């Protein structure tokens, strides 16, 4: 049962406006899919300033917060929920360090980014953040429940 709940762990993963304008949607989805994770929700939207502010509310007192909110609400994002064993922690590993120049080659930010304010993709950093962010970006009915056929070859 512990195994089952870890397999069902969910993370909120979002391609930011720079990632969309850079043409990286397919590459990013490909990496999570090929790893063996399961896509259970996805949508394209231009986030309101209000939604962007709530998403990054933990940084409200930081000097970069206003610019961060403006950036995130400046264009389209691809909001997703991916499910699978350790997807929160391992997803952050696939994404790389906050500063793309400190990210290892082979990670998403390491392969594609340079500037910390244009770091392409977001991933939840804990179980609590994942729950908060999924509830912020998606309604309850927007998450699909299904068995992925390849799942039995992944686990
Ligand atoms: P996110 O996945 O976007 O939350 O990034 P990550 O968790 O790796 O890093 P944090 B600390 O949460 O950064 C949030 C966004 O703020 C930007 N940022 C961060 C700056 O612009 N300057 C800074 O000094 C710091 C620490 C990077 C992140 N997003 N963008 N774009
Ligand atoms: Mg963060």
């Amino acid at each position: 049962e512990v195994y089952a709940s870890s397999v069902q762990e969910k993370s909120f993963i979002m391609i930011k406006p720079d990632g969309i304008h850079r043409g990286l949607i397919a590459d990013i989805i490909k990496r999570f899919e090929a790893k063996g994770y399961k896509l259970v929700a996805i949508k394209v939207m231009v986030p309101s300033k209000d939604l962007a502010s709530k998403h990054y509310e933990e940084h409200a007192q930081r000097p970069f917060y206003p610019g961060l909110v403006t950036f995130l609400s400046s264009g389209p994002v691809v909001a997703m929920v991916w499910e699978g064993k350790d997807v929160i922690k391992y997803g952050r590993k696939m994404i790389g360090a906050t500063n793309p120049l400190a990210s290892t080659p082979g990670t998403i930010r390491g392969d594609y980014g340079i500037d910390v304010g244009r770091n392409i993709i977001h991933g939840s950093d804990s179980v609590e953040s994942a729950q908060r962010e999924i509830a912020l970006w998606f309604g309850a009915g927007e998450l699909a429940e299904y068995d992925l056929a390849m799942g039995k070859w992944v686990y």
Side-chain angles (χ1 to χ4, degrees):
E1 196 167 299
V2 173
Y3 173 76
S5 69
S6 78
V7 167
Q8 283 158 26
E9 182 176 294
K10 293 178 180 61
S11 187
F12 176 67
I13 303 288
M14 171 171 56
I15 308 174
K16 300 176 187 179
D18 53 331
I20 280 70
H21 289 300
R22 299 269 311 277
L24 298 173
I25 297 171
D27 181 277
I28 288 168
I29 290 176
K30 184 188 173 87
R31 290 173 183 235
F32 280 86
E33 186 180 42
K35 176 69 180 169
Y37 289 133
K38 180 167 87 172
L39 183 62
V40 298
I42 183 166
K43 64 183 166 189
V44 186
M45 63 190 293
V46 178
S48 65
K49 267 208 142 172
D50 182 59
L51 181 54
S53 309
K54 284 185 178 138
H55 175 75
Y56 279 127
E57 69 187 7
E58 67 173 307
H59 300 302
Q61 305 309 319
R62 310 287 289 273
F64 56 83
Y65 181 70
L68 184 57
V69 169
T70 300
F71 164 61
L72 193 66
S73 56
S74 72
V77 302
V78 175
M80 299 177 279
V81 179
W82 285 88
E83 184 179 290
K85 191 171 185 184
D86 246 340
V87 64
I88 296 172
K89 193 158 50 141
Y90 200 87
R92 299 263 299 179
K93 236 181 206 180
M94 291 168 61
I95 288 170
T98 303
N99 180 353
L101 288 182
S103 295
T104 314
T107 64
I108 295 165
R109 290 171 178 164
D111 284 349
Y112 301 125
I114 291 179
D115 194 287
V116 71
R118 298 286 183 273
N119 66 6
I120 302 163
I121 180 169
H122 164 81
S124 304
D125 61 12
S126 66
V127 173
E128 297 69 39
S129 314
Q131 284 169 352
R132 185 187 79 85
E133 292 165 3
I134 291 168
L136 180 64
W137 289 88
F138 288 97
E142 289 186 278
L143 270 61
E145 276 179 51
Y146 64 100
D147 288 322
L148 188 62
M150 76 171 184
K152 68 175 176 176
W153 302 106
V154 173
Y155 299 100

